[in-house]
Structures are given as structure tokens and as C-alpha cells.
């Protein structure tokens, strides 16, 4: 992608090429500002490539129906936004007809079910604006559960452990490892 009205020399990413196989985990590590977030945004078509192609299942993302493409992808960001609603509402966001069983299954996969059930109101607990009543690790596991509820084919983490301490960061990586091992998810 390019900045608005700028020339080729301002491309954020240049000469990038890689393939990710189903069930494979890929980590892209670089300094801040090197284009990791731009790469994520190219895959889900928040940005369109000005040159070259981005392929998902062998099809250029520009040829996909946008809703169909995005339904196959979940992104877990560094600071996932939570609404001042119940935990169940936050997990089920984006899947309006999600059942309680689906919400709980996603929470279990994200290692969130155990802490959720310690709250007096469990899944009905309102988390406060931006999830203020939860710890950083709890907020991130709710965000992971939200990412999992629609059973995406591709899960992308955009610095998903950036705001977490080592213990919670290790938990998130354990979740990702289990997802690739058990559910054949592709993680980027």
C-alpha cells in the first residue's frame, strides 16, 4: 500500500513474498513501522496492493467477495476493543445468532472459561468501557474467544502479546500452539 498521493518510493512493503500452508504458523518479526500491520491489512483487504497480488486459497483477495473473505479471517490485535456489555456479548460480537454453547466453546479454546465462571454473574458479567474490569490477559483471552467463535480459516495476531506480561504472553502463545495442533488453524 502507498500513502495517499505518494509515489512508488513510499510503498510500505516492497518485494515481499511468502506462502503459508493450512495449519502452519508463521511469525513475522521486525521493528516498529516495518509493515507488519500493513501486511495484515492487505490480507483482509483493509488496504489493496498497488502492485503484485495477495492470494488466499490461490485467489487474489481483490477477486473475493469482501464479506466472504473477511468471514474466513479473524484478527487479534494488541489492544482488542471490548464493549461495555456482557462477556457473552463481547465474545459473540459479529455472530449475532451465536448460542451459549458456541460462546462457551470459544471461551474454553481461548482459556477464558475458567476465569469467566469465577465472576458472580459468569458470562453475563458486564466488563465496563473497553473491558476495564478485566486484567490485560483476561481482555486478550476474551478477544481471542471472539476471534474463534466464527471458526475462521486464518487467524492473524497483530502484536497480540504486546501489552501483556510474560505469564499472559506465554498463555496466548500456548493458545495459538494448541489451535494449530488441534484445529488445523492457519496462524499468521
Amino acid at each position: 500500500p502507498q500513502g495517499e498521493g505518494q509515489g512508488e518510493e513510499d510503498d510500505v512493503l516492497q518485494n515481499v513474498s511468502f506462502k503459508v500452508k493450512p495449519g502452519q504458523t508463521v511469525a513475522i518479526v521486525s521493528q516498529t513501522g516495518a509493515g507488519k500491520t500493513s501486511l495484515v491489512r492487505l490480507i483482509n483487504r483493509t488496504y489493496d496492493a498497488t502492485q503484485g497480488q495477495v492470494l488466499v486459497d490461490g485467489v487474489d483477495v481483490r477477486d473475493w467477495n469482501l464479506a466472504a473473505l473477511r468471514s474466513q479471517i479473524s484478527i487479534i490485535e494488541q489492544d482488542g476493543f471490548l464493549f461495555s456489555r456482557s462477556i457473552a456479548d463481547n465474545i459473540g460480537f459479529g455472530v449475532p445468532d451465536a448460542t451459549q454453547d458456541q460462546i462457551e466453546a470459544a471461551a474454553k479454546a481461548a482459556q477464558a472459561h475458567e476465569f469467566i465462571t469465577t465472576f458472580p454473574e459468569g458470562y453475563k458479567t458486564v466488563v465496563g468501557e473497553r473491558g476495564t474490569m478485566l486484567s490485560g490477559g483476561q481482555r486478550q483471552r476474551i478477544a481471542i474467544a471472539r476471534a474463534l467463535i466464527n471458526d475462521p480459516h486464518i487467524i492473524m495476531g497483530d502484536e497480540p502479546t504486546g501489552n501483556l506480561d510474560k505469564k499472559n504472553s506465554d498463555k496466548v502463545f500456548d493458545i495459538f500452539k494448541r489451535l494449530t495442533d488441534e484445529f488445523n488453524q492457519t496462524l499468521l
Side-chain angles (χ1 to χ4, degrees):
Q2 295 179 342
E4 189 174 314
Q6 298 177 352
E8 186 176 319
E9 65 276 7
D10 295 316
D11 285 348
V12 174
L13 299 169
Q14 296 178 8
N15 302 318
V16 176
S17 180
F18 61 92
K19 292 181 181 181
V20 181
K21 296 177 183 174
Q24 186 176 11
T25 300
V26 175
I28 298 174
V29 181
S30 67
Q31 63 191 19
T32 300
K36 296 180 299 289
T37 299
S38 295
L39 183 61
V40 167
R41 292 180 177 162
L42 283 167
I43 294 168
N44 81 342
R45 284 205 63 211
T46 301
Y47 297 158
D48 277 332
T50 56
Q51 296 180 21
Q53 293 179 302
V54 177
L55 306 175
V56 171
D57 290 338
V59 177
D60 189 310
V61 294
R62 292 170 289 201
D63 294 334
W64 276 79
N65 169 285
L66 191 56
L69 174 69
R70 290 183 177 166
S71 74
Q72 301 298 311
I73 299 171
S74 283
I75 301 171
I76 303 162
E77 297 182 351
Q78 181 174 350
D79 188 23
F81 184 85
L82 296 183
F83 300 96
S84 185
R85 301 189 70 170
S86 72
I87 290 172
D89 288 344
N90 273 284
I91 293 172
F93 182 79
V95 182
D97 58 346
T99 66
Q100 187 64 28
D101 286 343
Q102 290 172 305
I103 289 167
E104 289 183 21
K108 288 175 184 174
Q111 297 180 9
H113 178 76
E114 187 173 297
F115 79 78
I116 293 168
T117 57
T118 66
F119 297 130
E121 294 190 49
Y123 283 86
K124 293 180 182 180
T125 302
V126 176
V127 299
E129 194 65 37
R130 298 186 60 83
T132 55
M133 61 125 346
L134 301 173
S135 72
Q138 290 171 331
R139 282 193 302 271
Q140 198 62 327
R141 283 181 276 158
I142 297 295
I144 292 169
R146 178 191 301 157
L148 297 176
I149 195 158
N150 69 338
D151 193 27
H153 287 82
I154 300 170
I155 300 172
M156 295 187 289
D158 189 2
E159 298 192 34
T161 61
N163 289 333
L164 301 178
D165 60 24
K166 174 138 176 50
K167 179 181 174 185
N168 282 304
S169 183
D170 288 347
K171 276 189 178 185
V172 169
F173 283 121
D174 286 346
I175 294 166
F176 288 166
K177 176 154 179 28
R178 193 173 55 72
L179 289 171
T180 56
D181 292 348
E182 292 180 28
F183 300 105
N184 200 34
Q185 299 283 353
T186 299
L187 300 174
L188 177 63

